[in-house]
Amino acid sequence: MKTSEVLRRVRDHLRDGGYMVAHERWGCYAAEYLYLRGQIGDRDRTKVKRVLRKHLDGYSSLEAWLEYNHGIPVAHYTPAKLKKIMTTRKAWLTHLIEHYEAKGD
């Protein structure tokens, strides 16, 4: 499966806010969940997790990356802040999807 399609499935699995379990909030957990449900293959899961980590410069999450690189604190999210971070995460995934589609992947 193309990287762009796997990223699209991950993005579409994530929620927008409210109460979320790990696989509904973070991309790597979503990839694991989709793999366990048979919606993506093992190579796809491994590849997309590698892509996400690469683009986060090795940070464990977008929140950690934002805190370190932009001084945005990640602790004690209000519902409004969580909705904003999820919107940012999905926009970032959309950008990655477009990037990989442009490469034909």
Side-chain angles (χ1 to χ4, degrees):
M1 184 179 302
K2 291 185 176 186
T3 302
S4 58
E5 179 57 31
V6 179
L7 287 166
R8 181 175 287 107
R9 289 182 185 203
V10 166
R11 182 200 57 198
D12 292 348
H13 180 76
L14 299 177
R15 295 194 45 203
D16 294 322
Y19 175 78
M20 293 177 280
V21 293
H23 67 83
E24 296 171 331
R25 182 172 177 181
W26 291 293
C28 287
Y29 285 103
E32 288 290 334
Y33 180 86
L34 294 171
Y35 166 70
L36 292 172
R37 296 287 185 239
Q39 296 176 20
I40 64 174
D42 184 44
R43 292 182 72 193
D44 299 325
R45 169 187 63 142
T46 304
K47 179 173 51 173
V48 80
K49 287 173 68 173
R50 191 176 319 116
V51 165
L52 294 174
R53 286 189 184 115
K54 173 187 161 204
H55 288 284
L56 289 172
D57 299 326
Y59 289 95
S60 62
S61 67
L62 178 61
E63 291 91 337
W65 184 88
L66 287 169
E67 183 171 24
Y68 181 81
N69 289 286
H70 297 285
I72 299 170
V74 298
H76 309 294
Y77 274 120
T78 63
K81 283 183 181 178
L82 184 56
K83 184 165 181 60
K84 188 172 184 177
I85 196 72
M86 292 307 295
T87 300
T88 302
R89 179 174 281 119
K90 287 184 172 187
W92 175 60
L93 287 167
T94 298
H95 171 74
L96 289 177
I97 290 164
E98 291 169 355
H99 170 76
Y100 282 94
E101 281 178 340
K103 290 173 53 172
D105 186 10

